Amino acid sequence: MRIVVLVDNVADTARPFLLCEHGLSLLIEHDDHRILCDTGRSDAFLHNARCLGIDVATIDFALVSHGHDDHSGGLSAFFAAGGSKAYIHANVAEERYFSSRKGRREISCDKGVLAANAGRIHYLTGSKELFSGVFAVQCQCRAHPMPNGNAFLTKISGEKEVPDDFSHELSLAIITDAGLVVVSPCSHRGALNIIDECMGETGCSELLAFVGGLHFVDGDGCECEASLFAEEFVRLYPDARLYTGHCTCDRAKMVLAANMANVRFFSTGMAIEL
């Protein structure tokens, strides 16, 4: 399996022609399939894909992990470039999402893009095996803490604004010969909860790697949050690899690096071989 980071918050200084933005887009190549997991904030992922010799029209499908615009903003560009279909949770079409961190602002997926491409969007209401060994997973597990940064995030469902419970979040679980690979771009439901859910959904209990953001945002308690996570991850999955970036802040990365031998930090253009 190969995962290419088409866009991330961190730039590739050796390849300045690759665009960088606050967003995430991952191309997953597994067996004979190509999956686009999220589209970043804009069409930057498409520019970078073309620079890296990747034809979006050859991608089997896109999965939009949740309804925030830094993960869904390039969806229109994906379809315009020949993308065939996308999976997204049904709640995204009905709800609006807001962040109060650094001033209140709306961060919803563009509903106009969803309407304009209705025939190519497949709405999920729960977990589903998309093809053999590859699952879109909605996390219900609450055995482990959810990220502290979720406190800044709300949604409007109907007429009432409430704390976001991230029932619109999906992750990918992929069974390989060497174990389970979990791809979770923001992990708002908590990475350890998501891993539990993915194992239960797939029946695979051997974790090879977790790839995605952890939503450990800069602020009071960040180091403690990252330290407790690192301790539990290593206890539960001592041989598994962790690749993180995007919404994992620099302070959290320092703590993870100090406490985990198998952690790596991804950036725009990086290729992860599993």
Side-chain angles (χ1 to χ4, degrees):
M1 178 188 294
R2 185 169 184 260
I3 301 176
V4 180
V5 183
L6 294 182
V7 76
D8 176 62
N9 302 38
V10 178
D12 181 349
T13 55
R15 293 180 288 183
F17 54 86
L18 295 178
L19 301 178
C20 169
E21 65 181 6
H22 179 81
L24 186 62
S25 179
L26 305 170
L27 176 69
I28 302 164
E29 298 175 330
H30 174 59
D31 291 339
D32 295 324
H33 299 288
R34 278 184 159 186
I35 305 164
L36 183 69
C37 186
D38 287 349
T39 63
R41 183 180 291 278
S42 70
D43 62 356
F45 86 94
L46 181 59
H47 166 89
N48 293 347
R50 287 169 173 164
C51 289
L52 296 170
I54 297 164
D55 182 1
V56 168
T58 65
I59 292 173
D60 293 274
F61 63 84
L63 178 95
V64 177
S65 66
H66 60 297
H68 291 174
D69 58 4
D70 55 336
H71 295 261
S72 61
L75 192 56
S76 179
F78 169 72
F79 288 128
S84 59
K85 62 182 176 181
Y87 292 94
I88 191 167
H89 197 280
N91 289 4
V92 174
E94 306 297 332
E95 297 175 341
R96 296 170 62 197
Y97 306 106
F98 298 85
S99 172
S100 60
R101 190 166 180 261
K102 300 180 180 178
R104 187 178 186 275
R105 66 193 190 282
E106 184 166 358
I107 55 173
S108 300
C109 176
D110 187 335
K111 303 298 191 289
V113 173
L114 300 183
N117 296 280
R120 293 188 281 183
I121 294 176
H122 300 257
Y123 291 106
L124 302 179
T125 56
S127 300
K128 178 180 176 65
E129 187 170 17
L130 302 177
F131 52 79
S132 181
V134 177
F135 299 75
V137 178
Q138 180 181 3
C139 181
Q140 307 286 353
C141 180
R142 293 292 296 272
H144 305 279
M146 291 167 67
N148 295 337
N150 285 354
F152 297 101
L153 300 167
T154 58
K155 68 178 183 179
I156 294 178
S157 183
E159 297 182 356
K160 186 176 181 181
E161 186 166 357
V162 296
D164 199 337
D165 61 358
F166 294 96
S167 56
H168 57 100
E169 184 176 47
L170 297 168
S171 303
L172 281 169
I174 304 169
I175 299 173
T176 76
D177 292 340
L180 187 67
V181 175
V182 175
V183 180
S184 179
C186 259
S187 306
H188 288 286
R189 295 285 296 186
L192 295 173
N193 291 323
I194 290 166
I195 293 168
D196 281 353
E197 192 78 35
C198 289
M199 287 182 169
E201 185 67 30
T202 62
C204 182
S205 59
E206 184 71 26
L207 183 67
L208 173 61
F210 179 93
V211 182
L214 301 174
H215 204 68
F216 293 163
V217 301
D218 201 358
D220 293 341
C222 170
E223 289 93 342
C224 181
E225 181 178 36
S227 179
L228 290 172
F229 168 82
E231 180 181 351
E232 191 69 354
F233 188 96
V234 171
R235 183 184 73 83
L236 292 170
Y237 312 111
D239 299 320
R241 289 176 259 175
L242 173 68
Y243 297 88
T244 190
H246 177 54
C247 57
T248 304
C249 74
D250 289 343
R251 288 167 66 187
K253 287 178 179 178
M254 290 177 62
V255 173
L256 296 174
N259 290 278
M260 303 179 73
N262 291 338
V263 66
R264 301 290 183 271
F265 305 112
F266 56 68
S267 57
T268 301
M270 179 178 173
I272 299 168
E273 305 284 349
L274 296 169

